Amino acid sequence: MVPNGATIQLGIGGIPNAVGTALMCKEDLGIHTEMFTDSMVDLIEAGVVTNKKKNIHKNKTIASFAWGSKKMYDYMDENISLEMHPVSYVNDPYVIGKLDNFISVNSCIEIDFFGQACAESIGHVNFSGPGGQLDFVRGCHVSKGGKSFIAINSTAKNGTISKIKPMLTPGAAVTTGKNDIDYVVTEFGVVRLKGLSVSQRAKALISIAHPNFREELTAEAKRMNILM
């Protein structure tokens, strides 16, 4: 689902970073991202990222900050092919939208039947910040051919908790709202929520939930009158 020549943004965490490794088979990717990471250095050094297909900042990697190894910082040092810009510019959805085939990959803590994704708290207990997730999700809506993905493991706490839930945990912050969400991915598949009814969203999300929780989630959706 990531075409050759796409421009990518990868969020924080193990899953988005792993996506970078999985893109080694692609050609002529570009980078326009809030956070610059080790996996991006690997893609550049492998010749996968060339930035030559970008509509703006052609031949340049664009980022706001970096987090990674000494190898990554050594790569960045005095590298004229890499430009660091303020978050106010890099995360601007209208700037993102100028780049065709923009692909955004982020993660979250949990997501509910309505498509509300929380990446900031575990219930009322703060865990992280929103980062640029919503900015890039909205930028992908503007981008010609753009797609945004929320990629998660289907469970947490050694398989004892489903990260797909009927409702977010009380007190949880909504990072990406139901009217902005696009694709959701787990190890069991990918579904597109944009344009779906609540009933269709619940069915789609249950289909990519861990099999151990699907019966329970289906029963809860029926109890909520989401599924008949």
Side-chain angles (χ1 to χ4, degrees), residues 154-155 159 162 164 186-188 206 208-214 217:
S154 62
T155 62
S162 175
I164 293 173
T186 73
E187 66 270 38
F188 296 102
I206 291 169
I208 60 170
H210 194 285
N212 291 350
F213 292 94
R214 291 178 190 172
L217 290 169

Side-chain angles (χ1 to χ4, degrees), residues 199-200 202-203 206 217-218 221-228:
S199 176
Q200 291 169 330
K203 288 179 182 178
I206 291 169
L217 290 169
T218 299
K222 290 179 179 178
R223 189 191 71 78
M224 295 169 66
N225 291 326
I226 292 174
L227 296 180
M228 306 304 284

